Amino acid sequence: MSNEENFAEQLLDVLVYAPIGLLLEAKDLIPRLADRGRGQVALVQVANRIAGGRRSDASTPLFHRVIDAAGVALGGLSTPDHESADEPDDHASPGEDDVSLPIEDYDSYSAAQLPAKLETLTRTQLDEILSHEQTHRNRRTVTNRIQQLGSLEESPPST
């Protein structure tokens, strides 16, 4: 068999026979794939609870929690701006003002924008922000970063 014939056979496999086989097997294959996907999501939820040491926040979609956790794990890289200032703050009290916080207009920042601003704050200021964050939007990217910065400040300098 020449290279051209071999290539033609491979092309037929990919473009004709494989799609036909997929269509014939779809009724059995799709439920198995969906079950496997559900298992993976359950595994991520368990890992999230173990890693976070707290219960899962049902008000935050799983996808966003996973993305936020990945952003923190990768050193505060930008995460999707799903928590932008345009979205309503479900946790805030009406008319509440964040003037007393160490970061001006704190609630207008997304979770991706805050880690860099947090690095310049003292432990007391971090505690203020953490308290505010936990009682309002409770974004894991922000709370995890504050806790990381707080533990860095508390650890003794290495000699």
Side-chain angles (χ1 to χ4, degrees):
M1 202 182 257
S2 72
N3 284 342
E4 289 177 8
E5 290 173 342
N6 190 21
F7 179 73
E9 282 295 319
Q10 289 177 345
L11 197 58
L12 274 173
D13 284 347
V14 171
L15 297 177
V16 176
Y17 301 129
I20 290 172
L22 180 61
L23 287 173
L24 293 172
E25 295 293 322
K27 68 177 180 152
D28 296 327
L29 186 60
I30 290 176
R32 286 196 328 245
L33 291 173
D35 286 341
R36 186 165 182 191
R38 280 187 204 98
Q40 292 298 314
V41 167
L43 181 63
V44 168
Q45 288 174 328
V46 168
N48 185 33
R49 287 187 198 128
I50 291 169
R54 57 177 93 157
R55 67 172 180 78
S56 175
D57 183 2
S59 67
T60 306
L62 174 65
F63 173 76
H64 295 308
R65 292 194 314 251
V66 170
I67 295 299
D68 286 347
V72 169
L74 295 173
L77 294 178
S78 293
T79 57
D81 207 2
H82 60 271
E83 294 166 325
S84 69
D86 298 336
E87 292 183 15
D89 187 352
D90 296 337
H91 303 291
S93 302
E96 190 164 0
D97 193 6
D98 61 353
V99 178
S100 64
L101 294 175
I103 298 174
E104 190 174 327
D105 296 325
Y106 175 83
D107 287 323
S108 68
Y109 292 104
S110 71
Q113 295 170 317
L114 284 168
K117 296 189 175 299
L118 295 170
E119 292 179 10
T120 62
L121 301 179
T122 67
R123 179 66 201 172
T124 304
Q125 291 172 322
L126 287 171
D127 289 340
E128 289 176 42
I129 296 286
L130 180 61
S131 176
H132 177 81
E133 185 65 38
Q134 288 174 332
T135 58
H136 292 80
R137 295 171 76 178
N138 202 23
R139 297 169 287 185
R140 286 195 184 242
T141 300
V142 178
T143 58
N144 288 344
R145 186 63 184 146
I146 292 170
Q147 291 165 349
Q148 287 174 349
L149 290 169
S151 61
L152 288 176
E153 194 171 290
E154 292 171 4
S155 57
S158 57
T159 56

